[in-house]
C-alpha cells in the first residue's frame, strides 16, 4: 500500500454530491481516471451498485498499487503545499485493521445546495444563494476563479439540484441506512433542508439511530427544534459549526449572516449538549483566509472553551489562491503568531491549547509565490461582488480596505 495515494474514504463510504453525482469523496475532482457509464444517483437501481461497481473497484485498485488519480488532484495539491489534506487526515484519524477491504460503513450526503448564506470563499455548487448571485454577475459564463479547481466542472450550473425530491432517489438512500455506522451531512445548509430532517426521522422511526453516529456541519444561523428532538436518539453526535470570524468580520465573510445570532445559537447548542449529550462532540470549523487572519487569536480564545469533547478546526484555505492569508505582509502574520503564543501561555484550557499548537505549525510555513496577479484577481472579485450587494469592505474590515481599489 502506497501512503502517497491511498485513502480510506473510497473503501468505507458512499458520497452523494449536491447535484446527485456519486463521488469517491466530498472533495474529489471531476476529472476522471476511469470511464463510467453511470455517475448520477438517478442512473442506479441502488447506490450499492456504485460502491461495488467497476469504477470504484478500479479506484481502490489504483490506490493500493500506488497509482495517482485525477480525482485526487486536490489533495495532492494541498499536500504539496505542506498542508494536511483530507486524505491524510482520514487515514490518520480512522485507521483500518484491513485497509484493503471495501466495506460500507457510512454515507456522506449533501441534499442539494440549498443555503441561506453567500460566503466569500464558497461557490454556487454548495450554495443556492451564490448560484443566483453568480448568474446575476455573469460569473456562470466567466468564472472568477479563472479555471481553478473550484470550478469543479463546466456544467454544474445546469445540474439537477432537486434530485432529493424524487422519491426513488430518497428511497435508495434510506435503503442503505441499515448498513451504516455513521452518517455525515453538510450542505448547502442542512438545518433548512426538509430532506435532511426527513432522513433523520426515518432512522429514528426504523430504530436505526441508536446504532448510528451522526455527523453534521451547520452554519448555525438557525436551530431547528425537530433536529434537537431527533438528534437525541442517535448513538453519538458530532456537530461542527462553521464560523469564520467575530462581529463584523463574520458578517462580511458569511454575508448576509448575523454574528450575534450565530453566537447566541452556538451557546444554545453548548447548553443543549451539556444537558442531553454530555459525552458527544461540539466544535467549530474556521476557514482561515486573508479576510480573518486578524481575528484568529481572539476567535480561538472565545470559542475553543465552548467546544465539548473535541477541539475546533482551523483550516487553511488553499483555493481560490487569491484569498490565502499568506498574501498579507509577513509582519501581519508574525503579529498573529505572537498573539497565539501569548494566548497559549495564558490559558489552561486543553482544547484551546490543542487548536493553537495545530495552527501554529501551519502559520510558520512560508509562501514565496508572486502575489501581484492574485491581488489583481482578489480586487476584481471583491469589488464586483460587494457592489452588487451594496456593501463596502471598509464598513466591515476597515484595516483591509486600503488594499482594494474602489
Amino acid at each position: 500500500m502506497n501512503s502517497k495515494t491511498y485513502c480510506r474514504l473510497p473503501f468505507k463510504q458512499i458520497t452523494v454530491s449536491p447535484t446527485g453525482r456519486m463521488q469517491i469523496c466530498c472533495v474529489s475532482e471531476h476529472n476522471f481516471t476511469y470511464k463510467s457509464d453511470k455517475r448520477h444517483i438517478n442512473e442506479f437501481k441502488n447506490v450499492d451498485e456504485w460502491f461495488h461497481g467497476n469504477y470504484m473497484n478500479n479506484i481502490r485498485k489504483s490506490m493500493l498499487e500506488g497509482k495517482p488519480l485525477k480525482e485526487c488532484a486536490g489533495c495532492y495539491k494541498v499536500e504539496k503545499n505542506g498542508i494536511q489534506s483530507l486524505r491524510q487526515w482520514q487515514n490518520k484519524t480512522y485507521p483500518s485493521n484491513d485497509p484493503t477491504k471495501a466495506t460500507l460503513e457510512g454515507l456522506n450526503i449533501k441534499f442539494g445546495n440549498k443555503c441561506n448564506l453567500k460566503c466569500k470563499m464558497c461557490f454556487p455548487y454548495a450554495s443556492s444563494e451564490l448560484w443566483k448571485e453568480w448568474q446575476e454577475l455573469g460569473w456562470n459564463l466567466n468564472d472568477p476563479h479563472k479555471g481553478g479547481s473550484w470550478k469543479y466542472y463546466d456544467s454544474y450550473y445546469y445540474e439537477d439540484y432537486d434530485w432529493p425530491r424524487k422519491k426513488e432517489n430518497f428511497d435508495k438512500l434510506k435503503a442503505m441506512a441499515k448498513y451504516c455506522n455513521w452518517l455525515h451531512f453538510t450542505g448547502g445548509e442542512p438545518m433548512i433542508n426538509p430532506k435532511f430532517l426527513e432522513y433523520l426521522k426515518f432512522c429514528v422511526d426504523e430504530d436505526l439511530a441508536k446504532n448510528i453516529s451522526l455527523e453534521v456541519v451547520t452554519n448555525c444561523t438557525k436551530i431547528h427544534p425537530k433536529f434537537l428532538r431527533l438528534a437525541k436518539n442517535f448513538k453519538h453526535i458530532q456537530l461542527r459549526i462553521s464560523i469564520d470570524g467575530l462581529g463584523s468580520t463574520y458578517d462580511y465573510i458569511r454575508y448576509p449572516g448575523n454574528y450575534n445570532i450565530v453566537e447566541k445559537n452556538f451557546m444554545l447548542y453548548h447548553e443543549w449538549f451539556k444537558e442531553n449529550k454530555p459525552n458527544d462532540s461540539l466544535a467549530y470549523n474556521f476557514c482561515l483566509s486573508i479576510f480573518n487572519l486578524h481575528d484568529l487569536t481572539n476567535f480561538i480564545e472565545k470559542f475553543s472553551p465552548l467546544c465539548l469533547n473535541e477541539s475546533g478546526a482551523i483550516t487553511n484555505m488553499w483555493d481560490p489562491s487569491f484569498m490565502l492569508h499568506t498574501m498579507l505582509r509577513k509582519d501581519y502574520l508574525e503579529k498573529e503568531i505572537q498573539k497565539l503564543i501569548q494566548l497559549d501561555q495564558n490559558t489552561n484550557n486543553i482544547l484551546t491549547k490543542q487548536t493553537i499548537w495545530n495552527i501554529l505549525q501551519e502559520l510558520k510555513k512560508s509562501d514565496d509565490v508572486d502575489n501581484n496577479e492574485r491581488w489583481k484577481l482578489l480586487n476584481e472579485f471583491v469589488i464586483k461582488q460587494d457592489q452588487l450587494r451594496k456593501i463596502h469592505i471598509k464598513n466591515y474590515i476597515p484595516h483591509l480596505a486600503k488594499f482594494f481599489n474602489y
Side-chain angles (χ1 to χ4, degrees), residues 7 44 52 76 90 94 98 113 122 127 133 145 175 192 224 227 244 247-248 264 269 292 326 339 352 355 367 369:
C7 178
F44 294 96
H52 290 296
Y76 301 156
Q90 281 286 338
Y94 302 107
D98 185 357
N113 69 341
C122 195
S127 168
E133 186 174 84
H145 296 131
I192 64 171
H224 202 297
F227 170 73
D244 305 300
S248 60
K264 178 183 176 182
Y269 273 128
N292 58 15
T326 50
K339 284 166 61 179
T352 301
T355 303
D367 182 355
V369 177

Side-chain angles (χ1 to χ4, degrees), residues 106-315:
L107 300 176
N108 185 324
I109 306 173
K110 302 174 192 295
F111 284 122
N113 69 341
K114 183 178 177 63
C115 189
N116 55 346
L117 298 183
K118 309 174 188 179
C119 300
K120 262 289 184 283
M121 62 290 182
C122 195
F123 59 117
Y125 182 70
S127 168
S128 54
E129 289 300 303
L130 277 177
W131 193 94
K132 300 172 189 174
E133 186 174 84
W134 280 35
Q135 282 194 312
E136 193 170 349
L137 286 163
W139 287 352
N140 57 317
L141 302 175
N142 182 24
D143 193 303
H145 296 131
K146 306 301 179 186
S149 57
W150 272 37
K151 187 172 182 178
Y152 274 51
Y153 48 95
D154 292 335
S155 64
Y156 74 76
Y157 273 98
Y158 315 104
E159 293 278 353
D160 176 15
Y161 291 95
D162 288 329
W163 64 267
R165 294 186 182 183
K166 298 175 183 176
K167 182 179 182 303
E168 61 270 26
N169 286 337
F170 200 71
D171 287 345
K172 293 170 191 175
L173 295 175
K174 289 198 297 186
M176 303 309 294
K178 62 185 176 182
Y179 302 109
C180 293
N181 301 322
W182 54 266
L183 297 169
H184 182 93
F185 298 95
T186 56
E189 170 48 40
M191 298 300 172
I192 64 171
N193 195 316
K195 288 300 178 183
F196 164 67
L197 297 169
E198 184 180 342
Y199 199 86
L200 298 191
K201 186 176 185 301
F202 166 78
C203 292
V204 172
D205 291 346
E206 295 298 314
D207 200 30
L208 301 173
K210 65 184 181 183
N211 300 316
I212 295 174
S213 293
L214 178 63
E215 304 169 4
V216 182
V217 179
T218 174
N219 62 30
C220 204
T221 55
K222 297 180 183 296
I223 298 179
H224 202 297
K226 186 181 288 187
F227 170 73
L228 297 181
R229 291 197 300 271
L230 294 169
K232 289 181 182 179
N233 297 278
F234 283 81
K235 179 181 178 180
H236 181 271
I237 305 173
Q238 181 193 62
L239 187 68
R240 300 200 68 92
I241 296 175
S242 297
I243 314 180
D244 305 300
L246 302 173
S248 60
T249 296
Y250 170 91
D251 293 346
Y252 183 75
I253 295 173
R254 290 191 164 259
Y255 181 86
N258 184 305
Y259 172 77
N260 293 328
I261 291 174
V262 171
E263 180 187 23
K264 178 183 176 182
N265 287 344
F266 196 113
M267 293 303 303
L268 290 173
Y269 273 128
H270 179 81
E271 295 304 316
W272 183 87
F273 267 83
K274 286 200 301 183
E275 181 179 348
N276 297 281
K277 288 284 190 176
N279 298 317
D280 291 2
S281 302
L282 172 69
Y284 61 77
N285 290 336
F286 181 103
C287 183
L288 181 62
S289 71
I290 193 171
F291 300 113
N292 58 15
L293 174 66
H294 64 281
D295 252 3
L296 180 59
T297 303
N298 292 337
F299 179 89
I300 293 173
E301 183 177 21
K302 180 176 181 61
F303 280 98
S304 283
L306 298 176
C307 294
L308 299 171
N309 303 312
E310 186 175 3
S311 62
I314 310 292
T315 303

Side-chain angles (χ1 to χ4, degrees), residues 293 297 325 328-341 360 363-364:
L293 174 66
T297 303
H325 70 276
L328 292 167
R329 295 200 314 259
K330 290 187 177 181
D331 57 318
Y332 280 72
L333 182 56
E334 184 58 35
K335 180 180 178 181
E336 201 61 34
I337 288 174
Q338 292 306 314
K339 284 166 61 179
L340 284 166
I341 292 172
L360 274 177
L363 288 179
K364 292 177 181 178

